[in-house]
Amino acid sequence: MELRINEVQLPEQITFNYEELKQELAEKLSTYETLVYSDEQIKEAKADKANLNKLKKALNDERIRREKEYMQPFNDFKAKINEIIGIIDKPVALIDKQVKEYEDKQKQDKMDKIKALWSEMDVPEGLTLERVFDDRMLNVSYGMNHVKQKMLDDIKRFNRDMETLAGLPEFGFEAQQEYIRTFDLNKALAEGQRMAQVQKKKEEAARAAGEAEQARLKAEEETKQSAFPDDAMNLPVTEEEIAQSRQEYIDAASANGVHPVIAPAKQWISFKALLTVEDATALKQFFESRNIQFEAV
């Protein structure tokens, strides 16, 4: 089957008074460009505009009429060609459907062979067929020997990269997991470095917090010691010594005719109190105001 077209006489060139119209319009246009209508000439301006539009419409109408006449034979030819193309498209679609079904079956059969070959490989944990598979493997030009070699190369590379990551000084496991996820050694190394930096910052923060706590405890201890500075005041005094001192005072006062009022007897009471530095200072001032002897427990 072939298309045979009989020779036809193409339409002749359409001629008209092109140069005459163009020259006349050019002369009038130069006049209109500098023409200024007065109020009394507005009627003339409208008439000029109407004449120009009338000429414009006549030209355009004639163009449309001629175009339809010239295009009629071609439009008939175009419609018939499109009809024949439509007839051809039907068997093409049927054939294409069968070809596609055949090619899909061929690809599925090859995919089954690829999966079977993968199952026979010594595949390391973490590496999947999805990471190795390439759509080009399903092409007829991509032989099974080529498929096998690509699998071996990818397995070798995977083992080499995982060994490299395992040798990292820290966070090697996390870097390996990132590699399994992305199959990208550079990203895995970057993840290991990032986690190492995070860990370093945490350790530095913990060390700084520990040093700050030690400094705080030291300052509190120094403040407590300044609240009770004289260790001599804190020496223990026995009850016998207190009684003897009281009696000596009474005897001396009586010998001079003075009868002192005996203050109530005092006794030592031991206790502990959880105080702030401010509380300890206030307690010391209270003891001193009451003439209360105190010592550290």
Side-chain angles (χ1 to χ4, degrees):
M1 291 182 291
E2 63 176 348
L3 174 64
R4 292 190 300 273
I5 300 179
N6 297 327
E7 291 297 327
V8 296
Q9 184 65 39
L10 295 177
E12 296 181 0
Q13 182 178 4
I14 301 175
T15 59
F16 63 100
N17 57 336
Y18 168 72
E19 294 296 339
E20 179 185 348
L21 287 173
K22 182 179 178 182
Q23 180 64 30
E24 184 178 351
L25 287 172
E27 293 175 357
K28 288 188 177 181
L29 179 60
S30 61
T31 302
Y32 290 138
E33 287 178 345
T34 58
L35 179 62
V36 177
Y37 292 95
S38 65
D39 293 346
E40 292 76 13
Q41 294 175 316
I42 294 299
K43 185 176 181 180
E44 296 179 12
K46 291 181 178 180
D48 289 342
K49 177 183 176 182
N51 289 332
L52 290 173
N53 283 333
K54 182 179 179 181
L55 176 60
K56 175 182 174 182
K57 183 177 185 304
L59 291 171
N60 198 48
D61 289 347
E62 183 62 19
R63 178 191 63 79
I64 294 173
R65 185 181 73 82
R66 292 290 184 175
E67 182 178 1
K68 290 180 179 180
E69 290 178 355
Y70 269 68
M71 291 300 296
Q72 184 60 45
F74 175 79
N75 288 334
D76 292 341
F77 170 75
K78 179 180 177 181
K80 292 175 181 178
I81 290 295
N82 287 338
E83 181 182 0
I84 294 174
I85 290 175
I87 296 173
I88 295 173
D89 283 341
K90 292 180 179 180
V92 168
L94 294 174
I95 295 172
D96 183 66
K97 181 175 179 294
Q98 294 183 47
V99 171
K100 189 174 185 308
E101 290 175 350
Y102 171 79
E103 291 177 346
D104 289 344
K105 185 178 184 303
Q106 291 292 100
K107 289 182 178 181
Q108 185 57 51
D109 292 342
K110 191 169 186 180
M111 189 67 203
D112 293 339
K113 292 179 181 179
I114 292 173
K115 290 180 179 179
L117 179 61
W118 180 255
S119 65
E120 298 172 359
M121 293 285 181
D122 184 13
V123 181
E125 183 179 356
L127 182 61
T128 62
L129 177 59
E130 288 72 20
R131 286 294 184 187
V132 176
F133 181 74
D134 188 328
D135 288 338
R136 294 178 301 170
M137 292 180 176
L138 299 179
N139 295 338
V140 176
S141 59
Y142 206 110
M144 289 302 297
N145 289 335
H146 193 181
V147 172
K148 181 178 181 180
Q149 187 58 51
K150 184 179 185 306
M151 289 180 176
L152 292 173
D153 292 342
D154 287 347
I155 291 173
K156 182 179 180 180
R157 179 164 67 93
F158 182 87
N159 288 332
R160 182 183 66 247
D161 292 345
M162 290 290 282
E163 184 176 354
T164 298
L165 296 172
L168 294 177
E170 52 186 350
F171 297 104
F173 174 78
E174 289 77 5
Q176 286 180 327
Q177 296 306 305
E178 178 68 12
Y179 180 73
I180 292 173
R181 188 181 70 83
T182 63
F183 213 46
D184 189 317
L185 180 60
N186 290 331
K187 288 184 179 180
L189 290 171
E191 177 64 12
Q193 293 174 356
R194 185 191 69 80
M195 296 191 70
Q197 291 174 355
V198 171
Q199 181 64 24
K200 182 179 179 181
K201 290 181 180 179
K202 287 182 179 179
E203 292 175 353
E204 291 176 351
R207 181 166 57 253
E211 292 174 353
E213 179 64 14
Q214 291 178 0
R216 185 186 68 79
L217 294 175
K218 182 179 179 181
E220 288 186 358
E221 182 63 24
E222 290 175 351
T223 303
K224 290 180 181 178
Q225 291 178 0
S226 64
F228 303 96
D230 190 1
D231 291 339
M233 294 177 60
N234 298 325
L235 294 176
V237 181
T238 64
E239 293 183 2
E240 290 78 4
E241 289 175 335
I242 295 174
Q244 182 179 353
S245 297
R246 184 187 295 113
Q247 189 59 47
E248 290 176 354
Y249 169 74
I250 293 173
D251 291 344
S254 298
N256 292 300
V258 178
H259 301 285
V261 177
I262 305 302
K266 296 182 179 181
Q267 60 180 351
W268 286 98
I269 299 175
S270 299
F271 66 93
K272 291 182 179 181
L274 181 61
L275 307 173
T276 64
V277 175
E278 183 179 357
D279 293 337
T281 302
L283 181 60
K284 178 176 179 291
Q285 293 174 353
F286 172 74
F287 283 167
E288 291 174 347
S289 66
R290 298 284 296 181
N291 196 28
I292 298 175
Q293 186 179 357
F294 59 88
E295 64 181 30
V297 177

